[in-house]
Amino acid sequence: MKPFRRKIRIPEQLIWPIAALFILLIFNFLFTENFFHIEIRNGKLFGSLIDILDRASPLMLVALGMTLVIATGGIDLSVGAVMAITGTIIAGLLAMPDFSILSWFNLPASFSLALCIALATGIIFGACNGILVSFFNIQAIVATLILMVAGRGIAQLLSNGQIITVQNDTFSFWGNGYFLGFPFTVFIVIIGFAVCWILIRKTALGLFVEASGSNPVASHYSGINIRMVKFMIYGFSGFCAGLAGILVAADIKAADANNAGLYLELDAILATVLGGTALKGGRCFLAGSLIGAVLIQSVTTTILTRGVPVEYTLVVKALVIVMICLLQSAEFRRMIINRFRKTGK
Amino acid sequence: MPLLAMKNITKTFPGVMALDGVNFDLCSGEAHSLVGENGAGKSTLIKVLTGVYRQDEGEILLEDKRIQPLSPFESQRMGVSTVYQEINLVPELSVEENLFLGRQPMKLGRIDWKKIRRMAEKALSRLNLQIDPSMPLSSFSIATQQMIAIARSLDISARVLILDEPTSSLDHHEVERLFSIIRKLKSEGLGVIFISHFLDQIFEVSDRLTILRNGQLIETCEVSRISRLELVAKMTGKSIEDLKTAQPYSGKKGTNIGKREILKAERLGRKKDIAPFDLQLHEGEILGFAGLLGSGRTQAAELLFGLKQPDTGKIKREGVEVSIRSPQKAVQYGIGFLPEDRKTQGIFPDLSVRENIILAFQSKKGWWKPLSRKKQELITKNFIETLQIKTADMEKPVGQLSGGNQQKVILARWLASQPEIIILDEPTRGIDVGAKAEIESLIHNLCSEGLSIILISGELEEVERNSHRIMVFRDKVIVSELEGENLNLPNIMKLIAEGEANPRETIQA
Ligand SMILES: Nc1ncnc2c1ncn2[C@@H]1O[C@H](COP(=O)(O)OP(=O)(O)OP(=O)(O)O)[C@@H](O)[C@H]1O
Ligand SMILES: [Mg+2]
C-alpha cells in the first residue's frame, strides 16, 4: 500500500455536470449567434446567459430542497403542487382583500405579510409530508404523491379555478425587477442557497441527512434522531418550493393554479441527479444540483433560440438529456473507451 | 498442474496499491490459507479472482486455461464458489430463495418450489442448521446468516471453494462442523481458499499458506514448516526477537473497580428475547457476556441500549431509574453500543472515515452544535493513530477500507463519543492478531480511567481473558455469574454446555 500523491478535491461527481454544461456552452458559442452577447441597458444586463439564470431560478430553488430530501433516501413529488398553492395564496392575499381569514382581523394586505403567510404555508405542507414519511413510515413516493395530487386541487379551490392577476409593484419586482444589474430572482436563489448551505454545512444537519440516507439502520444505532431530521428536511423542501412558487407567480404577475410548477418535480429530480446526488440517498451535492438546474434550462433555451420547430422541442430536449446521462455513466464511458482500444489495436 | 494459478496480479485503487505483483496457486485437494494484517490485500485478491474487480496486470489460469470472469456470477459458473467477507445475500428474500438465487431448479418452465424446499433443508442440515427456510434472511443473526452463506457456497458444485473470514462470528461447534466438511470436500478433489485471523484455525485446516503484507507477496509455504511466531513475524514485518520481548498483554492486571454502581438492571426482560435478568455494572468494570449463538447475549444488550423495549423490569443509571426508549436516549445517558453486524448496523459506506468516526459524538451533542472541522480532524487523526486504521487519508469513504479497518472505525466512533458505559458486541471481529492485542490493552486503559464496559464475544477466551466478571447465557436465560477464582474457561464451558442435563436455575418472570 504505497501512498500516491494527493489529488485536488473537486468531487468527482461534479466534474461531469460541469463538463456537460461546458460542452453545451461551446456548442452555442460556435453555432448560436449572439448567445454570449450581453448588453447593458439602463444599467441592467440582458442576454441569453442572463435569461437562463433568471428562468432557471425557480427550478434551482426547488432542486435545493429536492437534493436534501433525496439525500435522506426519500423523494418529494409534491413540490410542483406546493408551488401552485403558495403562488395562489400570495396572489390571493395581494389581489383580493377578502381572500382569507386575514380580512376577519382587518389586517391590511401588505406584501411582506403575504410573503410570510405564503412561505409558512409551503413549510406547513412540507412538514405534513415529513410527518407522513417519518412518523408514520409511509414510503416517501406515496406520501408526497398524495399532496402532489391533492395540492393542485387545493390551489384550484383557493383560486376558484381562476387565474388571479395582481397589481403590486413589490410583487412584480420580485419576478421581473433588477438589482445591481442582475435579475432580482438571481439574488433570491443566492439567498436560498446561502440559507441551505448554512443549515447543512454549518450545523451537523448535513452530516445527519447524509448518514440517514447512507444507512438508516446504522443511523438509528448511532443515536441519530432520523425522524426529526427527515421531518425538518421535508419542511425545508416545502419552504424552497413555496419560494419558487412565489417567484413564478411574480414573474407573470398572476397565479395560475393549473399550470404553475407543473411537472417541475420531475425537472427538480433530474437536476439533482445530473448534479451528482444518487437517488438511493447518501452523499449530496447542493452546488451540483444548481448546475444541473442551469444545465436543464440551458438545453431548453438553446433549443428555443436555435429555432427548433415547437413540436420537436421535447424530443430534442429528451435526446440531449439522455446524452448527458450517458456521459455521466462510468459504465458507458468504459464501454466507449474499450471500443476505441479495440479498434486501435 | 495446479488447479488455479494467479500470476503477477497487480491492482491499484486511488491512493493505494492493494496488490503488487502477487503470485498465488492452488492445487486440487488442498486447503490454502491467505494470511496477512488488516488491509494486506487478501479480500482484494479474492475479488479479482471472482470478477468483482478487474486486475490492472496479471493473469488468472483455471486448469491451465486463461479466465477473466467479469462478475461473481460468471466466476460461479466457471466453478468458483465464494463466501465474501461481507455477506452479500439479499436480506429481504427468504433463506431458501437466497440459497438458490440464480440457480433455481425449474420444472415445466416454472420454479420448482417443492424441490427448492427439499434441497434447502438438505443444504442447511449439512451444517446442522435448524431454521425455517421460508423465513426472510434478515430475521436471523449475523452468525446464522454467515452459516447460510456458507451453506449456499457448499451446495454449489464447484472446483474451487473460497471462504473469506467465514468463521468471524461462529462458535467453536460451527467451526468444527465447517472444518469437517472442508476436509471431506478436499478429499473429493476440491481446492479450498481459506482466510481467517484466527491462527489456530489456519494451522488446523490448511495445508499451505500464503502471507501477504501491504499488497506484496511475502511467502508461500507448507503449514508444517512454519511456527506461529514466524508467521506473525512475517505478517507484521517485525523481527522474531522483537515479538518475543514484547510483553504479551496479561489481562485484568491492576483492577481498580469503583464501588459506584453505574448501571443496574432489575428483572429486565422481553418475551422471546431474554428472560428477566438482574445486572450491575460498576465504574471501571468489564462485565463479560458469554454464551452460544442465540443464547440471548445480544438481546440483553439491545434492551440496555433502547433498541428494543423491555416488557418487564427497570434500568437504573447511577441509582436513578431511567427509561431508555431509543438509542438517542441511551447515547444521552452516556451509553455506547458497538453492534455485531458491521455492514448493516455499523458503517456508512459512502461517508468518509472522519464522518464515520465523529458521528456518534456529534449525535450526542445534537445537530445545532457542530464540531468544528479542526476538532473533527483532531479526533480522527488521534484514532487513526491509536487504532492503526489503515487508510490513504481521513476523507476516504469507509466502504473502501478493508473489513478489519472498517471494524476499527466503528470502534473508534464509540470511543470518540466519550461514553461512560460502552457495550461491545464482538468488538474484534475481523481484526488481526496484532491489532486485537492493542485494542484489548486500550480497553483496559480506558477502564482504569473509569469507563465501564459490557463485553460480548463468541470467542470465550476473549471474554475470559478480559472480563472482571462474567454472566453466562444459555437459551435466553442468564444461568450464572462467575467472578474471581471461579472465572475460568472450564467453568464457563461447563455452564454453557450443561443444557438439559441439569435442572436450570431459571430465573422466573
Ligand atoms: N473499492 C476500494 N476502493 C479503494 N480502496 C480499496 C477498495 N477495496 C480495498 N481497498 C484498499 O485495498 C487495501 C486492501 O484491502 P483488502 O480488503 O484486500 O484487505 P484485507 O487483507 O482483506 O483486510 P481485512 O483483514 O481487514 O479484511 C486496503 O488498504 C483498502 O483500503
Ligand atoms: Mg478482507
Side-chain angles (χ1 to χ4, degrees), chain A residues 30-47:
Chain A
L30 296 178
F31 300 109
T32 314
E33 252 175 78
N34 288 337
F35 195 84
F36 282 78
H37 185 78
I38 291 179
E39 204 179 322
I40 305 179
R41 269 181 263 149
N42 303 334
K44 300 173 186 173
L45 297 171
F46 287 94

Side-chain angles (χ1 to χ4, degrees), chain A residues 144-166:
Chain A
T144 58
L145 190 68
I146 300 171
L147 186 58
M148 172 182 171
V149 178
R152 201 160 285 281
I154 293 171
Q156 285 160 347
L157 279 178
L158 287 174
S159 65
N160 278 327
Q162 271 156 9
I163 293 178
I164 308 172
T165 50
V166 188

Side-chain angles (χ1 to χ4, degrees), chain A residues 1, chain B residues 13 18 38-44 53 85 197 396 400 402-404:
Chain A
M1 208 182 64
Chain B
F13 294 109
N38 294 132
K42 305 179 294 293
S43 300
T44 307
Y53 301 139
Q85 185 172 13
H197 288 294
K396 187 163 172 164
Q400 296 179 1
S402 80

Side-chain angles (χ1 to χ4, degrees), chain B residues 432-498:
Chain B
D432 66 43
V433 213
K436 205 170 197 163
E438 304 238 340
I439 287 175
E440 284 177 12
S441 77
L442 175 73
I443 286 175
H444 281 274
N445 282 343
L446 289 170
C447 272
S448 57
E449 286 164 21
L451 179 70
S452 312
I453 293 179
I454 294 179
L455 175 67
I456 308 176
S457 175
E459 211 191 323
L460 294 183
E461 296 80 2
E462 188 176 61
V463 195
E464 189 266 341
R465 187 168 61 234
N466 293 300
S467 312
H468 301 124
R469 193 153 54 90
I470 285 186
M471 298 175 93
V472 182
F473 287 66
R474 191 174 67 220
D475 289 335
K476 319 280 186 204
V477 178
I478 295 180
V479 286
S480 185
E481 215 179 281
L482 298 174
E483 203 174 351
E485 306 220 316
N486 293 331
L487 202 171
N488 52 41
L489 264 184
N491 266 349
I492 302 173
M493 301 244 223
K494 203 172 112 227
L495 280 165
I496 286 177
E498 257 166 14

